[in-house]
Amino acid sequence: MNVENKNHWIFIGYEAVSSLKEWLFLLIILFFKVKWYYIVLACVIILIYSIIKWYNIKFYISDEMLVYKQGVLSRKKQEIPLDKISTVDMEQNLINRIFDVCNLKVDSGAVGDGQTEVKITVKMDFAKKFREELLKSYKSSEEIKEDKSLKESYIKASMKDLAIYGITKNKLGWLVGLFAILSQINEFLSEDFLNSIDNKAESFVNGIGDIAKNSTSIAFIVISVILVILFLYIIVSVVSILIEIIKYYNFTLYESSNKLNIEYGLITKKKYSLPIEKIQALKLKQNFLGQFLGLYNMEGIVIGYGDEDDKKAIIFPVANEKLKNHIINTLLPEFNFEGHFNNPPKRAIFKFIVKRNIISLILISPAVYFIPTIPLKLILIGMCILSQILLGYRNYKNASIGLNRDVIVMSSGAVVKTTHLIKQKTVQSIGTKQNPLQRFRNVCNYKVDVCTNYFGEVVEVKHLECELIKEMEENLRV
């Protein structure tokens, strides 16, 4: 591997498209302000620049080092020791699969801004060999395939799991986006068609009005609105299920040579490895429905892992309580937790509720001002207060800190509950914060700084007993 290698020529196309995106605004201005051939000239310059950049990128392995050279005007040379490389991700999108090429993303354990240190695009056969050479201190792929016991330890996400994940994901943003699309779609429809829709809608509304006038209740209108919302929710859920199945298709998790290996994807195939000893913490996320169904999205917080596309190190997209415990017990035993949990005292419930209500009332005040009738204003204010009381109470129930000598478990959140399982040895600092009202109730906020790829990830849990800091500091000294 001492021979200098170059990216596949398709890299030129990727680089040109990336440059066009960066200069798109300028190109649009040129299109309206100058003659068309200036646009062509700009595109030619971008293409030439991409070719020069492709030509100047060279990489090879020499003396247990990955050497990567690049630069157009100024030259840059990186040397990464092979034993410092933490992950080598393989990614193959649809275009790559057509040309049988693959993107390799190489990360070391260096703490930085989270971007991939080296990214190369090469033929698939070469990518597999080059990846094995970069990770030669671990088992080769052939050895992994021959390990029968390893095959039995594969953990896969079924279609049913991915469908449940798609159903339980938050749909509020999707519904807003759907309404936004529907509001703009009239630009692409003929005037006659729109008039026809307006006439039918007017007839429908008039019919509902007649029913409401002749009825002792408005149950029919309420049921109609509920059915429309339900119909839209079903559409959005189906789309969400399809997206999650395409994204996480054939999701497979297994361990080999003290590394977690993850593979998934239907259109864009991804494959990456996470050194278990470099996983600083686990992040377990539960959306609102997931909290009641006992479903978790599992992520790893890993030094040296992250890129410009997706900064998450997904360990498993959706796992129930039993599967979550199985993954931790068998693959990540260092994160096993046996200890006591500290919850906010009852006197702190007030703190979880009041602030939420004040902020939400401020946010809806413009809407309340423009509502014409007082009953509707009172209904909106009442719904807002009730929802925030329920969410505040939910946050109170979810907040906790669990401690033992090896692991800190920190949970918080109302709509989305996030639980961090943090190795004691990776904690950089522990701090508390207390405002005057918290001093009155003898509670405070706890912040734990974990060493990560982004110069520290701060995890916070609010309104716990102040005496807890003593036990946390004692564990940190051990």
Side-chain angles (χ1 to χ4, degrees), residues 355-408:
K355 186 177 179 180
R356 300 181 69 99
N357 272 291
I358 292 173
I359 294 174
S360 61
L361 288 174
I362 291 173
L363 291 176
I364 69 165
S365 58
V368 173
Y369 178 79
F370 288 106
I371 292 176
T373 61
I374 293 179
L376 288 178
K377 289 183 179 182
L378 294 176
I379 289 173
L380 179 59
I381 293 172
M383 290 177 62
C384 177
I385 293 174
L386 179 61
S387 64
Q388 293 307 313
I389 289 174
L390 293 175
L391 289 175
Y393 182 76
R394 189 69 197 168
N395 198 4
Y396 160 75
K397 296 295 289 185
N398 286 340
S400 66
I401 294 180
L403 296 173
N404 64 23
R405 293 295 182 184
D406 302 313
V407 181
I408 299 177

Side-chain angles (χ1 to χ4, degrees), residues 12-13 16 19-20 41-53:
I12 299 172
S19 299
L20 284 172
L41 178 61
C43 292
V44 170
I45 293 173
I46 288 174
L47 180 60
I48 292 173
Y49 175 84
S50 300
I51 293 173
I52 295 173
K53 185 173 181 179

Side-chain angles (χ1 to χ4, degrees), residues 62-81:
S62 176
D63 298 326
E64 301 298 312
M65 304 277 284
L66 170 62
V67 182
Y68 184 79
K69 300 177 181 178
Q70 62 175 324
V72 177
L73 298 178
S74 60
R75 300 297 176 89
K76 180 180 178 182
K77 181 180 179 181
Q78 289 177 265
E79 294 184 349
I80 305 175

Side-chain angles (χ1 to χ4, degrees), residues 29-166:
I29 294 176
L30 289 175
F31 179 79
F32 289 104
K33 297 293 184 181
V34 300
K35 295 183 178 179
W36 64 269
Y37 49 79
Y38 285 102
I39 305 292
V40 176
L41 178 61
C43 292
V44 170
I45 293 173
I46 288 174
L47 180 60
I48 292 173
Y49 175 84
S50 300
I51 293 173
I52 295 173
K53 185 173 181 179
W54 167 80
Y55 181 79
N56 286 330
I57 293 177
K58 299 178 177 65
F59 55 91
Y60 57 92
I61 296 175
S62 176
D63 298 326
E64 301 298 312
M65 304 277 284
L66 170 62
V67 182
Y68 184 79
K69 300 177 181 178
Q70 62 175 324
V72 177
L73 298 178
S74 60
R75 300 297 176 89
K76 180 180 178 182
K77 181 180 179 181
Q78 289 177 265
E79 294 184 349
I80 305 175
L82 297 187
D83 60 355
K84 298 296 184 182
I85 293 174
S86 57
T87 61
V88 182
D89 299 357
M90 296 180 67
E91 181 179 295
Q92 196 179 34
N93 58 32
L94 187 59
I95 296 175
N96 286 350
R97 290 163 69 180
I98 293 173
F99 292 95
D100 193 32
V101 298
C102 173
N103 294 332
L104 280 183
K105 300 179 182 181
V106 183
D107 283 283
S108 76
V111 177
D113 60 1
Q115 292 192 347
T116 301
E117 293 188 56
V118 174
K119 182 177 179 179
I120 60 179
T121 304
V122 290
K123 277 285 191 179
M124 177 58 78
D125 291 341
F126 179 83
K128 292 179 180 178
K129 294 178 182 178
F130 198 71
R131 183 176 186 272
E132 285 185 10
E133 188 68 20
L134 292 173
L135 301 173
K136 64 182 181 180
S137 59
Y138 302 95
K139 288 183 180 181
S140 68
S141 60
E142 283 73 20
E143 290 175 314
I144 291 174
K145 290 177 182 177
E146 292 173 0
D147 192 340
K148 294 182 180 179
S149 62
L150 181 62
K151 290 183 180 180
E152 296 175 356
S153 68
Y154 280 19
I155 302 173
K156 292 192 174 186
S158 66
M159 289 291 192
K160 178 183 176 181
D161 295 331
L162 298 180
I164 292 173
Y165 185 47

Side-chain angles (χ1 to χ4, degrees), residues 274-276 278-284 298-305 311-315 335 419-423 426 450-454 456-457 459:
L274 303 175
I276 293 176
K278 291 187 178 182
I279 299 177
Q280 309 293 80
L282 292 182
K283 183 186 290 187
L284 310 178
M298 303 181 68
E299 299 176 18
I301 298 176
V302 187
I303 287 184
Y305 184 83
K311 308 263 189 322
K312 297 178 181 179
I314 296 293
I315 292 178
F335 292 98
T419 301
H420 287 82
L421 284 74
I422 308 166
K423 294 178 183 176
T426 67
V450 186
C451 181
T452 69
N453 205 38
Y454 311 104
E457 177 164 327
V459 184

Side-chain angles (χ1 to χ4, degrees), residues 153-324:
S153 68
Y154 280 19
I155 302 173
K156 292 192 174 186
S158 66
M159 289 291 192
K160 178 183 176 181
D161 295 331
L162 298 180
I164 292 173
Y165 185 47
I167 291 173
T168 57
K169 288 195 74 173
N170 186 3
K171 307 295 191 310
L172 181 60
W174 289 62
L175 288 172
V176 172
L178 181 60
F179 280 118
I181 293 171
L182 292 174
S183 67
Q184 298 297 322
I185 201 171
N186 60 344
E187 297 181 7
F188 304 94
L189 302 176
S190 66
E191 188 173 347
D192 292 339
F193 180 79
L194 291 174
N195 290 334
S196 175
I197 295 295
D198 287 339
N199 292 333
K200 291 180 179 179
E202 185 177 356
S203 300
F204 178 74
V205 172
N206 291 335
I208 291 177
D210 294 337
I211 292 173
K213 290 177 183 178
N214 299 325
S215 177
T216 57
S217 69
I218 57 170
F220 179 81
I221 299 176
V222 173
I223 293 173
S224 299
V225 172
I226 292 173
L227 289 175
V228 170
I229 294 174
L230 182 62
F231 176 72
L232 292 176
Y233 185 85
I234 291 173
I235 293 176
V236 170
S237 296
V238 170
V239 174
S240 177
I241 291 170
L242 291 175
I243 289 175
E244 299 307 324
I245 288 176
I246 291 171
K247 182 178 180 180
Y248 293 114
Y249 177 77
N250 197 31
F251 191 100
T252 305
L253 168 69
Y254 61 95
E255 185 270 338
S256 67
S257 301
N258 205 31
K259 280 196 170 191
L260 288 186
N261 298 275
I262 296 100
E263 302 176 15
Y264 64 90
L266 181 61
I267 297 176
T268 299
K269 293 187 176 181
K270 290 189 176 184
K271 178 180 179 180
Y272 55 91
S273 302
L274 303 175
I276 293 176
E277 69 274 9
K278 291 187 178 182
I279 299 177
Q280 309 293 80
L282 292 182
K283 183 186 290 187
L284 310 178
K285 298 173 72 174
Q286 295 176 282
N287 57 32
F288 197 72
L289 284 175
Q291 293 178 47
F292 295 98
L293 298 176
L295 300 176
Y296 299 83
N297 175 266
M298 303 181 68
E299 299 176 18
I301 298 176
V302 187
I303 287 184
Y305 184 83
D307 56 60
E308 64 278 8
D309 300 321
D310 191 356
K311 308 263 189 322
K312 297 178 181 179
I314 296 293
I315 292 178
F316 212 80
V318 55
N320 58 28
E321 188 76 25
K322 182 178 179 181
L323 180 56
K324 182 259 295 183

